Amino acid sequence: MVDYKQYHPAWGDRSPVIIGFLCNWCSYRAADLAGTSRFGYPATLRDIRIMCTGRLDPTFVIKALREGADGVLVMGCHPGQCHYEEGNFKAMRRVALLRRTLSQLGVHPDRVQLGWASAAQGIIFTETVKEMTEKIAKLGPLKWHDNNHDASPHLPPLPEKEATHG
Amino acid sequence: MSEEEKIGVYICHCGHNIAGTVDVEGVAEWAKSLPNVTVSKDYKFMCSSLGQELIEEDIAEQGLSRVVVAACSPHMHEPTFRGACSRAGLNPYLFEMANIREHASWVHQDDGEAATEKAKSIVSGAVSRARELEPLEPFRAPIDETTLVVGGGIAGINTALEIANAGYKVILVEREPSIGGHMAQFDKTFPTLDCSACILTPKMFDVGNHPNIELMTYSEVEQVDGYVGNFTVRIRKKARMIDVDLCTGCGDCWERCPAKVVDTVYEAGLGYRTAVYRPFPQAVPKYPVIDTESCIYFKNGRCRACEKFCPTDAIKFDQEDEIIVTSVGNIVLATGYDLFDSRRLPQYGYGRLANVFTSLEFERMTNASGPTDGKVLLRDGVTEPKSVAILHCIGSRDKNTNDYCSAICCMAALKFAHLVKEKTDAEVYNFYIDMRTAPKDYETFYNRLMQEGTHFIRGRAAEVTDAARKPEEVGKLIVQAEDTLIGKQRRIPVDMVILMAGMQPRHDSQEVSHRFGIGCSDAGFFNESHPKLDPIATMNAGIFIAGVCQGPKDIPASVSQGAAAASRVLSLIGKGEVEIEPVRAHIDEDRCSGCRICNNLCPYNAIDFLEDLAVSRVNPALCKGCGTCVAACPSQVIDGQHYTFNSIMSQIEGLLWDVRPNGEEKVTFQKTEPV
Ligand SMILES: Cc1cc2nc3c(=O)[nH]c(=O)nc-3n(C[C@H](O)[C@H](O)[C@H](O)COP(=O)(O)OP(=O)(O)OC[C@H]3O[C@@H](n4cnc5c(N)ncnc54)[C@H](O)[C@@H]3O)c2cc1C
Ligand code: SF4
Ligand code: SF4
Ligand code: FES
């Protein structure tokens, strides 16, 4: 197992836990393709299949973080390629707002990320999970339920204005 | 409700695929401790008949009310296990799949411990979700028996004929003025060298005259709505400017038309056509079209020569595009390919050095009805070449252009070598990386060519230049390549170079795939539902693919795929009705506040506002189940069937079984209850 203490001492023996929300048509299939192609990535992601990122209820993200996840990765089809036309544009707005809200609550906004991979992009999926894991590893454990505070030493100042993508 | 559920958990070894990395016995043993799990087993191959029987027996004997199988991707075997549940009398939507192969064992092969822990989480998530699943009934809808085929190349032609011959209606939509596709451009086809037109033209004729085929050429599909069995398509029939009821195809118009333009489609840029034109003599249908972009009358208001000479008054300059909206049950895409643009590789001189030709130009040159009447001639139109170099893999197998093998170019290059030998006395040099002649009888053809005296040089050509270094190179094209068999650089002076440009996806394939709701590979070929077991279907039920639009292949393979697509369509039509996933949104009208937030969110306008009741209602025939409205309703009264709020919340809890706060700290998010 990877030693995550090298990124942040607070990890102790444990690994980051990331909850993934993958849309059925693109990114879930990209994850399947990563599997069939045997592209390895850190065992930090535990994913949930939803039909479209448009289904992403922001409550799901808060729930995951409150229940012990250190990060949430939402992945869908590339903008313009959503199987339902525009669900991912809705997700873009929701995630942007959510990141803003979270940082106001004292959670590092980078703990919630949005990414895209088409069904043919197993490698992009793999890379995204790797990057996200590294980012979370550096931020340290969230343990939101424990002490209501983010272990990350450097919470950024509240974003002035985060793009909400129209 | 969820307290009394009895859940059966089955962990599949998948031979060594899962069990080689994940401790499947351990996971099965551990899963027994999960709430509501009454049965937990591991088994070699859950998808085998014995594996499925195991589930069926347990449902019958133990009274299981939910089933979880931890195995491969749901895209692989969800239907299989739903079937097993159904057979044992359990509603198939009470089944949940835990993907511990693609998402665990195969991606964490170097760390069995981590893979096992992750598998536990995935199983735990699935069990929690299963607890919240609700029985659903699939929608059943009758199948419209008409099929839409898009693209009239050999693949589409064959699909259309197979379906039409079985007695069902087909609408064949072709973008160009005639069907035929690339095969219509060829003179000979490898490996038998039979005449392309002789085998294609009768099929084209059949399409044009078949009582069950409605042929729409010069047309394109603009919009697709609906679902398997019941699609609505909007087709734009571009104005031909010809009244086809009057036109006899006599040809007086194109013989008199003064506007000549280079024909980049059918003649591949090697020949000319007029503004009013029929692409080739055997065209189906036989009527010409007026290309308004090159027509003099459309440019400056004068000419109308064709109109004057048309004996039947068939020219109609005021014709307008026609929009046809119709319903079809299934759709087959057979849109073929574009040729790789050789200008992208300036080192080979195409477009700069006159006697460098592309593969399709050479096809036209050897065609008896082509611009040179079938003679192999240099660009001056009179000189026969004394030496010809054929360069394989142009744009193919190169990470700077297309990284894949275009599959047919080696064979087409051999065909060309043979034709040059047959038609001239020239020496022929083939520059190849590897000779790929796998399908039946292809190697025999290669052997035949070696006996014919073609020179084979193993090495990708580096450059074609006219800069002579030696006297014998003056006035020639020099092909520079490393001959990897002798490990030496070689310069071969020739009169003519043919670039075996490969096949690539249509320039608009991404757009088209999006229009039809199917996926595309990164290169742009349409994605099949499964690369081995289902290379015909797509991830959008009722939409099939055939021919080169799915990936490079030759004519026999395109024909077979066309027939296979037809058989898939026929078996759906034969069933008479389709089952559609009941994944739909549903609004609890008693609790809807009437805020109308959801109304504008739906991409399909599936949500109506009922003014009299002041609530919103989802039209299930239009809803596709994306869940966008579900996530947005501030009153949380839209239920996303099968992906309900509770099922996802519960899955989150299950996935986080090992890190969740325990006891009193437990966080609960309640779905708001009615007050
Ligand atoms: C130089 C060369 C030589 C070859 N020689 C041989 C040979 O000797 N033997 C052999 O077996 N194979 C040969 N091939 C391969 C052969 O061309 C293909 O296997 C075959 O033509 C594929 O047929 P298709 O129907 O899939 O595509 P196409 O022939 O490309 O037909 C597709 C059709 O769809 C239409 N279309 C495209 N987009 C749309 C749209 N959006 N809406 C409506 N219509 C649309 C096009 O106009 C076209 O008519 C050769 C290929 C090349 C490049
Ligand atoms: S968003 Fe919810 S409450 Fe508002 S109209 Fe739609 S269903 Fe009713
Ligand atoms: S689930 Fe999607 S398609 Fe269905 S009504 Fe809601 S927004 Fe429209
Ligand atoms: S279906 Fe993938 S983001 Fe909408």
Side-chain angles (χ1 to χ4, degrees):
Chain A
M1 283 208 170
V2 188
D3 179 13
Y4 284 99
K5 284 199 293 292
Q6 55 174 318
Y7 294 101
H8 194 296
W11 287 116
D13 295 333
R14 92 175 180 86
S15 314
V17 174
I18 300 168
I19 289 288
F21 291 94
L22 309 182
C23 88
N24 180 55
W25 302 94
C26 288
S27 48
Y28 191 87
R29 286 168 203 258
D32 278 1
L33 181 63
T36 25
S37 320
R38 314 295 199 275
F39 295 149
Y41 55 84
T44 47
L45 186 78
R46 305 176 182 183
D47 63 73
I48 292 177
R49 178 165 69 128
I50 49 181
M51 290 313 275
C52 172
T53 55
R55 175 69 183 92
L56 186 83
D57 185 332
T59 329
F60 297 161
V61 179
I62 310 241
K63 166 88 175 176
L65 297 175
R66 293 290 297 194
E67 292 276 339
D70 304 297
V72 172
L73 175 61
V74 182
M75 286 188 78
C77 316
H78 285 279
Q81 300 287 319
C82 169
H83 189 72
Y84 306 98
E85 320 289 336
E86 50 200 32
N88 48 9
F89 289 113
K90 307 289 189 312
M92 265 191 221
R93 292 189 207 172
R94 287 177 191 156
V95 169
L97 280 173
L98 185 63
R99 282 160 57 108
R100 205 174 150 79
T101 313
L102 282 172
S103 65
Q104 286 164 349
L105 294 172
V107 173
H108 198 296
D110 282 357
R111 292 191 184 273
V112 180
Q113 303 269 338
L114 190 57
W116 324 115
S118 82
Q121 295 174 327
I123 195 73
I124 292 192
F125 172 81
T126 313
E127 290 306 315
T128 310
V129 178
K130 282 184 189 158
E131 278 165 33
M132 174 91 181
T133 301
E134 198 173 310
K135 209 169 264 173
I136 299 296
K138 285 183 184 151
L139 291 178
L142 173 59
K143 292 196 282 184
W144 198 1
H145 50 77
D146 254 12
N147 45 19
N148 254 334
H149 97 285
D150 195 326
S152 167
H154 304 296
L155 264 179
L158 288 183
E160 278 292 303
K161 232 192 221 144
E162 192 162 8
T164 50
H165 302 277
Chain B
M1 123 219 86
S2 56
E3 300 311 315
E4 313 89 55
E5 301 306 346
K6 287 185 168 176
I7 307 181
V9 176
Y10 302 86
I11 318 282
C12 183
H13 294 218
C14 195
H16 215 60
N17 286 308
I18 297 171
T21 311
V22 170
D23 170 13
V24 283
E25 287 94 354
V27 176
E29 195 50 42
W30 169 85
K32 288 184 182 152
S33 66
L34 293 171
N36 302 82
V37 171
T38 35
V39 177
S40 178
K41 299 178 176 167
D42 60 282
Y43 190 72
K44 273 256 176 272
F45 288 105
M46 280 309 297
C47 59
S48 66
S49 53
L50 288 176
Q52 295 187 50
E53 280 162 21
L54 204 64
I55 301 177
E56 289 171 49
E57 280 160 23
D58 287 350
I59 293 174
E61 286 161 21
Q62 315 258 354
L64 298 182
S65 61
R66 299 285 188 277
V67 170
V68 171
V69 174
C72 50
S73 169
H75 290 300
M76 186 82 199
H77 273 314
E78 190 174 62
T80 311
F81 297 118
R82 278 184 176 173
C85 292
S86 264
R87 284 194 297 278
L90 184 68
N91 184 290
Y93 294 90
L94 300 177
F95 164 77
E96 178 65 14
M97 192 127 189
N99 184 348
I100 60 166
R101 191 180 75 175
E102 281 83 344
H103 293 199
S105 70
W106 276 352
V107 287
H108 310 308
Q109 280 179 320
D110 52 350
D111 192 344
E113 196 186 329
T116 303
E117 287 307 302
K118 180 162 165 186
K120 282 184 187 168
S121 297
I122 297 175
V123 169
S124 161
V127 167
S128 298
R129 174 169 151 79
R131 215 177 289 132
E132 298 296 333
L133 291 177
E134 286 158 18
L136 295 170
E137 287 306 323
F139 298 116
R140 276 173 225 283
I143 293 208
D144 191 309
E145 292 187 349
T146 303
T147 305
L148 170 71
V149 177
V150 183
I154 186 61
I157 288 176
N158 214 46
T159 313
L161 286 176
E162 293 279 346
I163 298 172
N165 287 340
Y168 297 101
K169 295 269 177 232
V170 174
I171 299 173
L172 176 57
V173 173
E174 164 60 51
R175 175 147 76 186
E176 296 295 329
S178 167
I179 56 170
H182 283 99
M183 195 176 165
Q185 295 174 283
F186 307 159
D187 188 56
K188 297 276 186 301
T189 56
F190 61 71
T192 46
L193 297 175
D194 41 359
C195 150
S196 190
C198 316
I199 52 181
L200 178 65
T201 315
K203 282 190 175 271
M204 290 169 56
F205 178 85
D206 287 352
V207 168
N209 291 285
H210 206 295
N212 285 335
I213 299 180
E214 188 178 345
L215 179 57
M216 297 188 192
T217 50
Y218 216 41
S219 303
E220 262 182 89
V221 178
E222 289 190 328
Q223 200 184 329
V224 184
D225 293 309
Y227 48 88
V228 53
N230 300 276
F231 293 105
T232 306
V233 292
R234 193 182 132 99
I235 303 165
R236 176 178 295 268
K237 238 178 158 173
K238 281 175 276 180
R240 278 186 117 90
M241 308 297 163
I242 305 287
D243 184 337
V244 295
D245 293 331
L246 299 176
C247 173
T248 60
C250 68
D252 283 350
C253 53
W254 64 80
E255 273 156 27
R256 309 293 165 91
C257 176
K260 299 264 184 303
V261 285
V262 175
D263 181 354
T264 51
V265 179
Y266 183 69
E267 294 294 4
L270 196 67
Y272 296 85
R273 63 163 170 80
T274 43
V276 56
Y277 75 107
R278 180 167 77 181
F280 52 102
Q282 309 87 338
V284 172
K286 62 187 177 199
Y287 319 112
V289 301
I290 295 181
D291 159 20
T292 54
E293 269 170 35
S294 38
C295 168
I296 298 170
Y297 171 67
F298 278 94
K299 273 198 272 196
N300 60 23
R302 269 171 301 160
C303 182
R304 303 180 82 129
C306 49
E307 191 184 43
K308 282 181 216 117
F309 289 103
C310 175
T312 62
D313 291 332
I315 307 277
K316 300 283 177 243
F317 287 112
D318 56 355
Q319 223 174 46
E320 282 177 11
D321 289 3
E322 214 183 310
I323 302 290
I324 295 145
V325 177
T326 185
S327 50
V328 295
N330 292 282
I331 299 176
V332 180
L333 297 179
T335 52
Y337 63 96
D338 282 340
L339 197 71
F340 171 78
D341 180 3
S342 301
R343 285 186 182 80
R344 284 178 61 196
L345 297 173
Q347 64 268 40
Y348 298 128
Y350 181 70
R352 179 166 49 87
L353 303 172
N355 290 316
V356 178
F357 294 83
T358 66
S359 46
L360 273 182
E361 279 180 314
F362 188 77
E363 285 288 354
R364 293 308 301 150
M365 193 188 290
T366 54
N367 195 305
S369 58
T372 60
D373 299 327
K375 293 198 204 66
V376 175
L377 299 174
L378 296 182
R379 200 73 74 170
D380 63 10
V382 286
T383 321
E384 211 171 76
K386 299 234 161 22
S387 49
V388 177
I390 302 176
L391 276 45
H392 292 218
C393 295
I394 299 300
S396 308
R397 304 180 67 197
D398 180 350
K399 65 176 179 349
N400 298 313
T401 48
N402 293 324
D403 57 4
Y404 52 86
C405 167
S406 160
I408 57 88
C409 314
C410 282
M411 280 302 287
L414 294 175
K415 170 174 82 174
F416 290 177
H418 171 85
L419 292 173
V420 173
K421 286 263 173 206
E422 184 183 280
K423 290 171 187 266
T424 70
D425 297 323
E427 288 297 322
V428 182
Y429 303 87
N430 276 50
F431 293 81
Y432 68 101
I433 312 178
D434 299 294
M435 194 59 78
R436 296 190 167 173
T437 54
K440 188 177 171 189
D441 293 339
Y442 284 14
E443 186 75 5
T444 318
F445 189 65
Y446 176 29
N447 287 330
R448 172 173 164 193
L449 261 288
M450 287 201 277
Q451 278 158 15
E452 283 178 10
T454 303
H455 306 283
F456 289 99
I457 299 173
R458 186 172 184 276
R460 190 198 279 272
E463 185 188 23
V464 177
T465 172
D466 56 356
R469 286 193 201 153
K470 295 183 223 148
E472 65 268 27
E473 291 179 355
V474 175
K476 300 265 180 185
L477 294 172
I478 304 107
V479 182
Q480 165 107 33
E482 184 192 342
D483 187 331
T484 57
L485 290 181
I486 55 173
K488 253 178 49 185
Q489 287 291 330
R490 291 181 71 174
R491 284 170 67 84
I492 311 241
V494 292
D495 296 325
M496 176 192 260
V497 171
I498 305 167
L499 301 179
M500 297 310 301
M503 305 196 278
Q504 65 182 24
R506 290 274 176 198
H507 63 277
D508 58 352
S509 74
Q510 299 276 2
E511 251 170 77
V512 171
S513 74
H514 193 58
R515 193 173 310 147
F516 288 88
I518 64 171
C520 244
S521 70
D522 264 1
F525 290 113
F526 297 155
N527 275 349
E528 58 282 336
S529 141
H530 189 278
K532 277 156 232 125
L533 299 181
D534 206 356
I536 310 294
T538 64
M539 63 187 188
N540 202 353
I543 301 194
F544 302 91
I545 46 180
V548 179
C549 64
Q550 183 256 350
K553 58 179 66 65
D554 56 14
I555 294 167
S558 301
V559 169
S560 315
Q561 235 181 1
S567 102
R568 293 295 298 272
V569 167
L570 290 172
S571 71
L572 273 166
I573 295 177
K575 263 168 77 179
E577 61 172 21
V578 276
E579 278 191 4
I580 300 152
E581 285 272 287
V583 176
R584 294 286 182 272
H586 178 261
I587 297 176
D588 179 350
E589 287 169 20
D590 291 343
R591 288 158 59 214
C592 165
S593 72
C595 70
R596 307 190 63 166
I597 284 178
C598 56
N599 295 192
N600 293 329
L601 278 177
C602 176
Y604 305 103
N605 294 323
I607 310 179
D608 299 322
F609 187 68
L610 310 179
E611 297 281 353
D612 44 343
L613 300 173
V615 295
S616 295
R617 181 179 290 169
V618 175
N619 177 348
L622 294 179
C623 170
K624 294 204 177 192
C626 66
T628 301
C629 61
V630 184
C633 173
S635 316
Q636 289 192 348
V637 300
I638 311 185
D639 201 13
Q641 290 174 352
H642 207 54
Y643 291 91
T644 58
F645 183 85
N646 287 347
S647 71
I648 296 177
M649 287 306 231
S650 185
Q651 188 175 2
I652 296 173
E653 289 175 10
L655 283 170
L656 296 171
W657 65 282
D658 54 341
V659 292
R660 294 183 70 202
N662 29 22
E664 66 284 10
E665 267 282 10
K666 182 167 161 174
V667 196
T668 48
F669 276 86
Q670 281 303 320
K671 186 165 171 167
T672 45
E673 287 305 321
V675 274

